[in-house]
Amino acid sequence: MKFFIDTADLAEIAEAKSWGCLAGVTTNPSLYAKTGGKLADFESHMLKIADLCEGLPVSVETTASTVEGMVEDGLRFSSLAPNIVVKVPICEAGLAACRMLADKGVRVNMTLVFSATQALLAANAGARYVSPFIGRFDDIAEDGIAQLADVVACLGNYDWSGKNVDSRVEIIAASVRTPLHVTKAALLGVDIATVPFKTLSKCLKHPLTDRGIALFEADWKKVEQA
Ligand code: E4P
């Protein structure tokens, strides 16, 4: 399973990238708002992320609500840099826009997916990535991981050749809140998990690792001083 980082914060992306295990970035309007960025700077900020990522896929989300608006946003975003993927919410207009963008060779990440049927519709509309949300489903006392398992099983039953520019659909486990979500997604064979920086750090840290490093350092000092 590949790791994407779910943030629009340049410092977080740079830090995660420096670890050598980052495969992409996902952003959304809320994550951009969190950076304090202005509307006028939105596209230049996304371009900075795309440059920083050096070819890794960066999802940039449309805020338009019509097919025309989504397609217009999608074509503009994807022309900013070749590694920009257009994020489109699943709805009637989103599906239509996805098909039009896919037909023009634009990669689409269909977001806000909460059911296997939505995922199947997205893949048929030419989505390159499908993003089922785990945490927000858990938030309403539903089982986000069980829903993710259904998406994996349903999409895995079919060949998506010819449906989009790369003839493959990758599932991005989104709305990931805990390292356990990450482990469960990997156990299901999910292609990608997009993880906030805080959760990514929690995935890395283990108290026994910290204790082990401290012990090795202390013992090595003894060797040096012997
Ligand atoms: C997915 O690409 C979304 O940006 C994201 O995972 C949403 O997560 P949240 O539910 O923590 O806002």
Side-chain angles (χ1 to χ4, degrees), residues 113-121 147 150-151 154-155:
V113 168
F114 288 94
S115 72
T117 51
Q118 287 181 325
L120 285 161
L121 288 168
Q147 180 261 136
D150 284 351
V151 171
C154 288
L155 293 190

Side-chain angles (χ1 to χ4, degrees), residues 12-29:
E12 288 183 350
I13 296 166
E15 173 65 18
K17 187 166 171 277
S18 75
W19 297 353
C21 53
L22 191 68
V25 176
T26 51
T27 67
N28 65 35

Side-chain angles (χ1 to χ4, degrees), residues 6 26 28 31 87 133 136 174-175 177 194:
D6 200 24
T26 51
N28 65 35
L31 292 171
K87 213 171 175 197
F133 279 40
R136 292 192 200 184
S175 190
R177 305 268 169 82
T194 189

Side-chain angles (χ1 to χ4, degrees), residues 4 7 14 16 34 38 76 93 99 102 105 109 129 133 149 157 164 166 171-172 205-206:
F4 284 10
T7 184
K34 227 165 135 180
K38 296 189 176 69
R76 212 176 50 256
R99 166 51 56 211
N109 172 359
Y129 301 95
F133 279 40
N157 278 341
N164 61 47
D166 296 321
I171 297 170
I172 305 180
K205 287 290 171 191
H206 196 289

Side-chain angles (χ1 to χ4, degrees), residues 59-78:
S59 288
V60 179
E61 187 160 343
T62 177
T63 49
S65 53
T66 62
V67 180
E68 298 70 32
M70 289 177 183
V71 172
E72 200 180 295
D73 275 357
L75 293 175
R76 212 176 50 256
F77 296 163
S78 60

